[in-house]
Amino acid sequence: MRIDEIFQEKISESERMQAQKSLCRALDEYLSYIEAQIVKMRYGLAGARPATVAEVAEKLGLEPREVKMAELVALQKMGSSQFAEKVREAWKNDEENA
């Protein structure tokens, strides 16, 4: 399954939820706590609506510029092949445990 299919509604709701759960697990394992929280909040993962930089900053007790910088670092990390492998591992483990 490709990530773009997840967000183009070509999969069932249960598959979408499983993919989001796997992605969140990979974020938690690969990124720092703050980076993972920022990505989840900014992109509406884990059941929440996407939050603005200001909302994330307020909730985490950070300055908006700190949120922006951490988000950029996180997105760069997420572009790595190591992160892709973490997502594949989380997906496989979730499928086996379903």
Side-chain angles (χ1 to χ4, degrees):
M1 173 171 316
R2 295 185 345 230
I3 281 287
D4 63 329
E5 291 175 329
I6 293 168
F7 298 104
Q8 291 179 8
E9 302 195 25
K10 292 183 181 179
I11 62 172
S12 70
E13 187 61 28
S14 64
E15 288 174 315
R16 180 185 319 284
M17 302 253 319
Q18 180 183 355
Q20 207 171 61
K21 179 181 171 186
S22 298
L23 178 58
C24 286
R25 282 193 37 226
L27 290 170
D28 290 339
E29 292 175 14
Y30 194 73
L31 301 177
S32 73
Y33 174 79
I34 292 294
E35 291 165 348
Q37 295 307 307
I38 289 170
V39 169
K40 289 176 191 178
M41 287 185 219
R42 290 282 291 135
Y43 295 93
L45 301 175
R49 70 165 180 75
T52 66
V53 170
E55 291 169 334
V56 173
E58 183 176 328
K59 185 161 187 160
L60 296 177
L62 300 171
E63 294 294 322
R65 64 179 167 73
E66 293 174 305
V67 171
K68 289 178 188 177
M69 290 178 65
E71 181 180 5
L72 178 59
V73 168
L75 293 175
Q76 288 173 337
K77 287 181 181 180
M78 290 169 64
S80 73
S81 59
Q82 292 94 346
F83 180 72
E85 185 58 34
K86 283 286 184 196
V87 173
R88 279 192 287 278
E89 287 173 17
W91 179 266
K92 182 179 176 187
N93 290 338
D94 288 346
E95 281 186 327
E96 290 172 358
N97 295 324

